Amino acid sequence: MASLELAGVSKDFGPVRALRGVDLAVADGELLVVLGPSGCGKSTLLRVLAGLEEPTAGRVLIGGRDVTRLHPARRNVSMVFQSYALFPHMTVAENIGFGLVVREVPKAEARERAGRAAETAGVAHLLDRRPEQLSGGERQRVALARAIVREPDAFLLDEPLSNLDLELRTQMRAELKELQRRLGTTTVYVTHDQVEALTLGDRIAVLRDGAVQQVGTPDEVWGEPVNRFVARFVGSPPMHFLPPAALGVDAPDGAVAGVRPEHVAVGPDGTPAEVTLVEPVGSEAFVHLDVSGHELLARVDAAARPRPGDTLRVRPMVVHLFDPETGDRLSGPSGNG
């Protein structure tokens, strides 16, 4: 195991700057999730860590050692891709052990290590099969076993669950988190799925246009977003923004109020709001509201859901305030009841 660090890393592809002065440190044994929308530079960041891309500026350190110009094979990191990248003509056992064969590890040792890795990843019963005989979840486990067998200092995972259906993705997410805890290997996990980020990460780094917006625990990133981008990107449904006066909130002139659906109380007092749409989701419902011409979303118990056209009284329980020009947080979260 080893710590990872990007120090002032930028990466240009011709006139396009994919990474912009990224400073990011991952502690030994930590699982850091890099979260952001498509095209924000997440995969480029991972490829720079792996050595598959050379940074235009800055340094890459693994275990405190500068590896910026070091060949990928000498960095002792394992990367798992979204596409699994299994060899179709090889069995599961051969796929897992291929990296050891290339490194000329003695056959007996390679078989033993491949067997242990397969057992760890839950595919020991599939060793004689070929990739075409496997489900998506089984292929992903084989890809993980192939990464584990190298006994690397760090795992680099590039949206490894995005090709799976929702049920299997949820199952694999739990298995992956438990596996990382058991192995204790430093891990960087790239995703655009904020549910994965919030459930998997020890910390989350939110990326936008190649620049880090915020790094913190899941609770910090969700509960104390540093700007409007993070506030809206992290959370499902996202935070809604409207003038503080529309909600009866005291705030500096021009400030923007941000309120999450979970923090909207419906009761006998508060600001009048017209129901425009109701979305039942099992035991809960999301209620779309018009507050003086501004949209607000409330999460309510399904049994108490109103009808479109009804007028409710709403009160924000937690309010975040943001600068209208920069989008930076002015204050918050603050209680309002």
Side-chain angles (χ1 to χ4, degrees), residues 4-323:
L4 304 175
E5 184 178 356
L6 297 174
V9 168
S10 294
K11 176 61 181 177
D12 298 340
F13 294 98
V16 177
R17 174 149 290 188
L19 296 176
R20 305 169 184 270
V22 172
D23 292 308
L24 194 60
V26 189
D28 188 358
E30 181 180 24
L31 195 165
L32 177 82
V33 175
V34 179
L35 174 69
S38 297
C40 72
K42 304 185 301 295
S43 293
T44 300
L45 185 152
L46 210 63
R47 290 173 65 83
V48 167
L49 275 172
L52 301 176
E53 299 285 355
E54 188 172 306
T56 306
R59 297 188 304 151
V60 180
L61 297 95
I62 299 179
R65 180 175 61 129
D66 191 332
V67 299
T68 310
R69 311 298 172 203
L70 199 63
H71 190 275
R74 298 179 60 194
R75 296 193 181 198
N76 197 31
V77 297
S78 284
M79 193 162 177
V80 177
F81 299 91
Q82 178 181 348
S83 62
Y84 316 138
L86 302 179
F87 296 110
H89 63 287
M90 292 184 179
T91 64
V92 166
E94 291 168 338
N95 265 285
I96 295 172
F98 180 74
L100 301 179
V101 173
V102 171
R103 289 167 180 76
E104 298 183 349
V105 173
K107 289 184 178 180
E109 180 185 347
R111 279 196 300 271
E112 181 184 354
R113 286 172 59 178
R116 287 202 308 267
E119 190 71 38
T120 300
V123 292
H125 61 296
L126 303 173
L127 292 176
D128 293 330
R129 297 189 188 179
R130 298 187 186 277
E132 65 182 16
Q133 299 172 296
L134 306 178
S135 68
E138 289 168 341
R139 292 180 191 181
Q140 193 55 269
R141 290 186 182 90
V142 173
L144 288 169
R146 187 175 55 187
I148 292 167
V149 78
R150 290 188 55 190
E151 299 174 359
D153 290 329
F155 293 130
L156 307 177
L157 309 181
D158 191 3
E159 304 207 47
L161 308 182
S162 61
N163 288 336
L164 306 180
D165 62 50
L166 179 59
E167 182 178 358
L168 188 52
R169 191 159 67 240
T170 302
Q171 176 188 337
M172 284 295 298
R173 189 166 66 225
E175 291 181 6
L176 185 61
K177 185 169 186 175
E178 192 279 331
L179 178 62
Q180 194 275 337
R181 293 289 183 272
R182 184 150 39 94
L183 296 175
T185 305
T186 308
T187 301
V188 179
Y189 185 107
V190 158
T191 184
H192 65 274
D193 186 326
Q194 44 109 1
V195 174
E196 281 186 6
L198 290 169
T199 55
L200 273 176
D202 296 322
R203 290 188 304 150
I204 299 171
V206 183
L207 207 63
R208 180 191 189 192
D209 296 334
V212 175
Q213 303 294 299
Q214 182 173 2
V215 181
T217 66
D219 286 344
E220 289 169 344
V221 172
W222 188 86
E224 301 176 29
V226 299
N227 56 36
R228 285 184 61 169
F229 173 80
V230 176
R232 187 159 183 84
F233 191 77
V234 179
S236 180
M239 184 180 291
H240 279 60
F241 304 97
L242 61 170
L247 294 169
V249 174
D250 292 329
D253 289 344
V256 175
V259 183
R260 294 199 182 280
E262 296 85 353
H263 296 150
V264 177
V266 177
D269 58 354
T271 303
E274 182 183 352
V275 177
T276 59
L277 178 68
V278 178
E279 296 180 286
V281 282
S283 62
E284 297 177 320
F286 293 114
V287 180
H288 295 251
L289 301 163
D290 183 308
V291 183
S292 301
H294 303 281
E295 185 181 5
L296 184 66
L297 193 66
R299 174 178 278 172
V300 303
D301 188 279
R305 68 177 183 258
R307 296 171 179 269
D310 288 352
T311 297
L312 306 178
R313 289 195 171 271
V314 298
R315 182 163 47 91
M317 304 300 291
V318 177
V319 179
H320 304 256
L321 296 178
F322 300 94
D323 186 285

